[in-house]
Amino acid sequence: MYSSPLSRAASRNRRSPSWGADEITLGEAIRRIARVAGRRPAFVPVPTWMVRALAQVTEWTMVVPLVAKAQARMLAEGVSEPAPFAPEAPLGIRPSRPFDDARIREALPQGRFTLDDLRITHRLQPARRA
């Protein structure tokens, strides 16, 4: 995992308001997902421009980008609170599902990244069949 110096300074140990049932930091969410997936994440500090470049390249090349440009922008801006301020949602529509191991396991993709995750492969597949 990567983190931008700007986002680390702006959000160190702060909880990001969310509409989920659990309110945790990004680092906690990554650690929890990695634990369920049987992985150990490595946090590497990189400049913001590298995150933005990675986001642009993955949006150009991948069917489902590893990092989206909007995510990179939020990291660079240190977005951690909703703007403009929004009141808490009514109880009837407030999320209630916990961010637990079972839900994480359900959402994990099957397998690792393959050539099928690249846009070019999807464009070439019809040509292969012909």
Side-chain angles (χ1 to χ4, degrees), residues 104-124:
I104 293 170
R105 210 170 280 110
E106 288 172 13
L108 285 175
Q110 298 299 317
R112 295 178 173 260
F113 287 112
T114 67
L115 290 176
D116 289 336
D117 294 309
L118 300 176
R119 291 180 189 273
I120 188 89
T121 307
H122 282 261
R123 289 187 182 134
L124 294 175

Side-chain angles (χ1 to χ4, degrees), residues 60-79:
W60 282 336
T61 60
M62 297 183 76
V63 177
V64 177
L66 181 63
V67 181
K69 290 189 301 186
Q71 292 170 318
R73 191 175 313 113
M74 287 170 37
L75 280 172
E77 294 172 356
V79 174

Side-chain angles (χ1 to χ4, degrees), residues 8 10 23 37 41-42 52 70 88 98:
R8 285 194 317 272
E23 195 171 303
R52 287 183 180 217
E88 197 165 328

Side-chain angles (χ1 to χ4, degrees), residues 6-7 40 47 49 53 60 80-81 95 110 124:
L6 293 175
S7 66
R40 293 187 62 200
W49 67 265
W60 282 336
S80 62
E81 299 199 13
Q110 298 299 317
L124 294 175

Side-chain angles (χ1 to χ4, degrees), residues 29-42 101 104-105 108-109 111-112:
I30 292 167
R31 285 181 191 89
R32 196 177 292 181
I33 293 167
R35 181 181 45 76
V36 170
R39 305 269 184 217
R40 293 187 62 200
D101 292 4
I104 293 170
R105 210 170 280 110
L108 285 175
R112 295 178 173 260

